[in-house]
Amino acid sequence: MTQIAESLRAQIEAGQYKAGDRLPSERELTEAHSVSRTVVREALALLRVDGLVEARKGSGVYAIGPGRATKPFEDIDTERLSSVIELFELRSAFEIRAAGLAAIRRSADQIDAIEQTHEAVARAIEDGVSPREADFAFHEAIALASNNRRFPEFLALIRPGIIPRVELRSGGGPPRPYTPNPDLVTEHSAIANAIIDGDRDAAEARMEAHLEGSLERYRNLWRGGGS
């Protein structure tokens, strides 16, 4: 399966199959590689995930071309409210769980890391500088404390848009200034304390309240933009 996918990928990237070109049929690929149709379909599915091909019902599979391929999260516009809202909704699906796991799995060193990043957020706000990087580091420390490496990996994947930029655009309107959550330190403190106490339910509840509160603020900003 992987060999077929890589072979077709190389041909697309080399321009042998240009955008709009029809790839060989499943039957042709099956005969050429001496594999079952199931294997061929799985190979084509890998290329669809990578944005290199598209299936057209009743017609076949066509190359999109490397120039048009979009990897997951690659099209995020970190200055648009709509993208920020999408990411907050996605974060809620896994960061709440990560906080709960951190509460029951964290090590002493991981607790120290959570406390240090929490203090860094507070210092940034006190010094009047952007807490964006420190904020990300706090959430990353919690993801690491879940001791499931997929959580920090996924967080890193969406990092470019996880902490909003200085200005955000709503629909086609002008940029709006990004203002940090005024309760950021208090909310982070509640999450950190629940994890330190080993209280899984509280950690999940505090993280949910934190993310949902931020999400609601951005939704209100979106509504205020009239789009």
Side-chain angles (χ1 to χ4, degrees), residues 107-122:
S107 67
D109 287 343
Q110 288 168 337
I111 287 176
D112 287 343
I114 292 171
E115 289 182 319
Q116 289 168 10
T117 54
H118 169 50
E119 291 168 359
V121 172

Side-chain angles (χ1 to χ4, degrees), residues 95-150:
E95 281 206 71
I96 294 170
R97 179 67 167 171
L101 292 175
I104 59 175
R105 294 179 177 175
R106 77 286 185 274
S107 67
D109 287 343
Q110 288 168 337
I111 287 176
D112 287 343
I114 292 171
E115 289 182 319
Q116 289 168 10
T117 54
H118 169 50
E119 291 168 359
V121 172
R123 283 197 304 273
I125 292 176
E126 288 175 1
D127 294 342
V129 299
S130 172
R132 291 176 65 248
E133 294 302 321
D135 189 2
F136 178 84
F138 175 77
H139 286 271
E140 183 179 41
I142 292 173
L144 288 166
S146 73
N147 285 298
N148 177 332
R149 64 191 177 96
R150 301 307 176 189

Side-chain angles (χ1 to χ4, degrees), residues 4 7-9 11-12 16-18 21-33 37 40-41 44 47 53-54 59-63:
I4 298 173
S7 175
L8 289 171
R9 184 196 308 278
Q11 291 172 333
I12 293 171
Q16 184 172 338
Y17 293 111
K18 297 180 174 60
D21 287 349
R22 184 178 181 277
L23 268 64
S25 66
E26 287 184 2
R27 180 181 60 79
E28 291 170 330
L29 289 171
T30 295
E31 294 175 353
H33 294 277
R37 287 204 173 192
V40 169
R41 287 169 185 164
L44 292 173
L47 297 179
V53 302
E54 62 182 1
S59 179
V61 177
Y62 291 78

Side-chain angles (χ1 to χ4, degrees), residues 209-222:
H210 172 54
L211 293 177
E212 288 301 317
S214 296
L215 179 56
E216 188 58 26
R217 281 187 290 276
Y218 288 112
R219 283 174 175 158
N220 288 336
L221 187 58
W222 175 265

